[in-house]
Structure formats: structure tokens, C-alpha cells
């Protein structure tokens, strides 16, 4: 992710020394805190493994969220993961979660050219599951090392032709 990318009303920018402290200050509401690690922990993980791509999510000049994704080549043919996504508690309820997932799916397709994107979610996180299903993710029956259920998104011809990634959810 060399340059900021804008899709709809959201812009994705790499996390760097210039914005890292602000990004580390993002958080979800207390009732969501068990569903995702604190951003600081996510960034430490990314510092230790260059395959991760942490991104700040902006609407205009306002920092509204964080995402982290990466392509892992082993085992072959590799897997593309949208591993972390959060919209700061002060910006929730505005449709940014759906916009961010759709925009990231488009960006990941362009950046990596893969046919599938994986993510994992706690089965008690019903709001996230509802959003992911609406976008087109489906459970594949697997679980990650933390016990989260794995969902996958398979790009199809219709999705490759494009869709409105700015629609609110």
C-alpha cells in the first residue's frame, strides 16, 4: 500500500510514524472489546511480521478506524486475510464498517489478484457476522488458532465488474 487510496468517503493510509500514536488511540465500545485486540497489540504484531499491512481509515481528515490485512504464501497457493477491522466507537453507526469492508475487498483484489479473502470472527459477534454475510462472506467450517470461526469471500464475475462500495449498512 504505497499511496493513500480513497473509496467513497473513506481513505486508507499506511500506518507510519506520523500517524501511529493517533491510530493506537482508536478503540471499540466496551461491549465489543473482547472481539478484537487493542490496536497497539495489532501494530506490534505487524512490526514483527512484514506480511501484515496495517492501515488507518480516514473520512476526510478524521481518523475513524483501523484495518490490517496480509497475504500469506504458505501453504501454497496462499491465503489473503482481512484480519483486523475496527471503527472507533465515536464513529460507529454511520455505515463506515460496511464501506470499509467493501472498499478493502476492492483494494485487496487489485493489490493481490486472489480469488478469496478470509477473515475470522467470534461466533458471538452477531453484528459483525450480519455485516459480513450481507457483503457476501460465508462460513467455511474452519476455526483459527483462537477459536474464531473462519469466513471467506469468493470474488465472482459480478463482483469483479464492480459494485457500489459506498452504500451504507
Amino acid at each position: 500500500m504505497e499511496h493513500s487510496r480513497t473509496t467513497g468517503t473513506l481513505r486508507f493510509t499506511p500506518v507510519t510514524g506520523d500517524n501511529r500514536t493517533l491510530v493506537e488511540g482508536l478503540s471499540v465500545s466496551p461491549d465489543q472489546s473482547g472481539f478484537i485486540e487493542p490496536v497497539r497489540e495489532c501494530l506490534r504484531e505487524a512490526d514483527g511480521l512484514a506480511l501484515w499491512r496495517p492501515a488507518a481509515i480516514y473520512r476526510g481528515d478524521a481518523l475513524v478506524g483501523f484495518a490490517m490485512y496480509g497475504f500469506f504464501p504458505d501453504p501454497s497457493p496462499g491465503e489473503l486475510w482481512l484480519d483486523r477491522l475496527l471503527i472507533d466507537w465515536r464513529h460507529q453507526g454511520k455505515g463506515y464498517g460496511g464501506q470499509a469492508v467493501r472498499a478493502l475487498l476492492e483494494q485487496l483484489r487489485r493489490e493481490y489478484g486472489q480469488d478469496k479473502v478470509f477473515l475470522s470472527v467470534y461466533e458471538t459477534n452477531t453484528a459483525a457476522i450480519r455485516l459480513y454475510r450481507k457483503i457476501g462472506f460465508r462460513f467455511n467450517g474452519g476455526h483459527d488458532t483462537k477459536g474464531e470461526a473462519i469466513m471467506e469471500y469468493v470474488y465472482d464475475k459480478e463482483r469483479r465488474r464492480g459494485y457500489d462500495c459506498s452504500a451504507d449498512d
Side-chain angles (χ1 to χ4, degrees):
M1 187 170 46
E2 295 175 12
H3 303 287
S4 299
R5 298 189 199 279
T6 303
T7 306
T9 60
L10 300 181
R11 174 172 52 96
F12 300 88
T13 303
V15 177
T16 66
D18 293 336
N19 63 2
R20 185 176 180 125
T21 300
L22 290 173
V23 173
E24 288 176 341
L26 296 169
S27 63
V28 293
S29 63
D31 62 315
Q32 299 170 321
S33 64
F35 296 139
I36 188 167
E37 298 85 347
V39 174
R40 181 168 300 184
E41 187 177 322
C42 298
L43 291 174
R44 276 197 304 263
E45 186 176 339
D47 290 341
L49 185 61
L51 296 173
W52 286 124
R53 301 287 183 259
I57 305 171
Y58 291 90
R59 180 174 187 272
D61 292 332
L63 177 63
V64 300
F66 169 77
M68 192 164 86
Y69 60 88
F71 177 73
F72 296 86
D74 293 318
S76 185
E79 293 181 345
L80 179 57
W81 282 82
L82 172 53
D83 196 67
R84 313 281 165 70
L85 175 72
L86 75 81
I87 302 300
D88 187 79
W89 67 273
R90 292 166 285 232
H91 298 283
Q92 291 184 4
K94 301 175 184 178
Y96 297 156
Q99 287 178 24
V101 173
R102 288 182 181 99
L104 283 165
L105 286 171
E106 288 184 7
Q107 178 175 320
L108 294 174
R109 179 68 176 183
R110 284 191 308 270
E111 194 170 331
Y112 295 97
Q114 298 295 303
D115 292 327
K116 286 185 192 176
V117 176
F118 297 90
L119 60 76
S120 60
V121 61
Y122 286 106
E123 293 176 79
T124 54
N125 192 349
T126 56
I129 291 169
R130 189 170 39 254
L131 172 65
Y132 297 144
R133 281 186 165 153
K134 182 177 181 180
I135 290 169
F137 280 90
R138 300 290 175 251
F139 287 104
N140 69 6
H143 289 81
D144 71 5
T145 58
K146 296 179 184 176
E148 295 179 53
I150 297 174
M151 300 183 85
E152 61 185 48
Y153 179 90
V154 179
Y155 293 96
D156 63 24
K157 290 179 184 178
E158 185 172 318
R159 288 191 183 104
R160 283 192 289 261
R161 281 195 295 268
Y163 52 90
D164 181 9
C165 66
S166 63
D168 289 342
D169 289 309

